[in-house]
Amino acid sequence: MRAARYHEYGGVETLVVEEAPEPHPGPAEIRVRVAAAGVNPVDWKVRSGAVRALLPVELPAIPGREAAGVVDAIGADVRGVSVGDRVFGLGGVTGATAELAVLSAWARTPASWTDEQAAGAALASVTAMGGLKVLGPLRGRTLLIEGAAGGVGSAAVEIAVARGATVIGTASERNHAFLGSLGAVPTTYGAGLAERIAALAPGGVDIALDTAASGSLADLVSVVGDPARVVTVADHTRAPGLGVVVANAENDPAFLAEAAELGAQGRYTPRVERTWPLAQLAQAHAHAERGHTRGKLVIRI
């Protein structure tokens, strides 16, 4: 099969497209013929070696954690899915950016989603839902999302709105109309956040979710008034000192099933900023490293 791989840790120049051995599903796994694969910050961090101590990989490695496609093989003890089904989901830390990929958590792709949208749905939705779960019930509460225009942030906005929250989202001004289209009240991030939030939510903010690791955690705690009501899915460095909970993404099929159901209802549509063909994966990784994306980055296989 054709796959993107890197044979050593390093920059985008280490990425090559070449023939690689086909993977095979183990128990409780499926294999998909990949139509598209998502590109996430964890991909370039793993490839560069920046998180090698935490997430070591066997080289050569195929980047990518999420994919969408059609099931073409099923492992032992798998029920409820058949060869030919259109699915999206998650595998290991690596392995998705290839013609064939093994998934350990998946859900059926809503008919209304394109392959590219489905490819960008899995990691964003489970990360967003993992953080929102810690914050508890959302209906009737005001939620502040830091970094609301990104892949995880935009998913969190739509999911929280669908669950009945009033959402205020921070983003650069160029993304304010985008946030409004998702159902959030937009504001800018940075200095003066507390004053801007006070004007937008005179009754106060109940809870906050950080998806950006922009250095704002102390400000979010100040706005909400209690570190126990702030969760980050991104800032592992500052959270412990502030008493803020870190929620890590998990391959949770229940979260994927909820994302798919919201998608089928038209209440969650994965937002894709840009797509590239497999041969241009290095350009996609370079774009991801620069940050400030609006929605997800996707590779067409």
Side-chain angles (χ1 to χ4, degrees), residues 5 8 12 20 43 52 89 105 118 128 139 197-198 201 245 250 269 272:
R5 294 205 294 182
E8 60 184 357
V12 295
D43 299 340
R52 183 177 181 178
R139 184 163 301 280
I197 295 299
V245 173
E250 298 179 3
T269 302
V272 177

Side-chain angles (χ1 to χ4, degrees), residues 191-232:
L193 179 63
E195 291 77 13
R196 292 191 297 277
I197 295 299
L200 292 172
V205 170
D206 300 302
I207 46 182
L209 175 66
D210 167 46
T211 71
S214 60
S216 65
L217 274 187
D219 291 334
L220 298 184
V221 171
S222 177
V223 167
V224 173
D226 182 353
R229 292 190 281 122
V230 179
V231 172
T232 181

